[in-house]
Amino acid sequence: MRTIEIVAALVFAALGVRSLVHWVRTPYESSRASDLALYALFVTGRVGMWFVLAAAFALYALTHTRRAFVDDAREYQWLYLVFLALGAVQFVAAYFLGQRAKGR
């Protein structure tokens, strides 16, 4: 069972690297510093979610009991909050970028 979790962690990490390369290569043309900051927050949220998923599966692969979600993984519950926070940052940044694009 740990093999599946390790494979999933590697796949999510690879998707994170792919997402990072894609969004770094995508040009964003704006002269406003606030737009660039929102775009950076959007990319951070988008890429970070992949890496948090990879970290979660890697942590679950490293636990040593059968009841990993109940026993050993309990100390990593904060990771879910990081995942949700990155998703919220991505959503809010995309919303404000979309609103600014409509205003132009």
Side-chain angles (χ1 to χ4, degrees):
M1 173 119 55
R2 293 191 182 157
T3 306
I4 294 171
E5 292 164 342
I6 292 171
V7 169
L10 291 174
V11 166
F12 285 133
L15 286 171
V17 170
R18 183 213 170 270
S19 181
L20 179 65
V21 169
H22 171 75
W23 287 107
V24 167
R25 287 185 180 176
T26 302
Y28 187 76
E29 298 172 5
S30 178
S31 59
R32 297 175 65 176
S34 59
D35 285 349
L36 293 174
L38 283 172
Y39 183 71
L41 286 173
F42 172 78
V43 172
T44 301
R46 187 125 181 150
V47 172
M49 288 178 71
W50 288 114
F51 287 125
V52 167
L53 280 173
F57 276 95
L59 286 172
Y60 292 143
L62 296 175
T63 57
H64 298 292
T65 60
R66 290 180 178 237
R67 297 178 54 185
F69 290 96
V70 178
D71 296 334
D72 289 344
R74 185 168 295 200
E75 62 191 59
Y76 303 114
Q77 286 180 346
W78 56 268
L79 201 56
Y80 298 117
L81 293 176
V82 173
F83 182 78
L84 291 175
L86 287 170
V89 165
Q90 177 188 351
F91 178 76
V92 170
Y95 174 77
F96 284 122
L97 284 172
Q99 293 298 318
R100 290 188 181 202
K102 285 181 185 178
R104 291 183 194 170

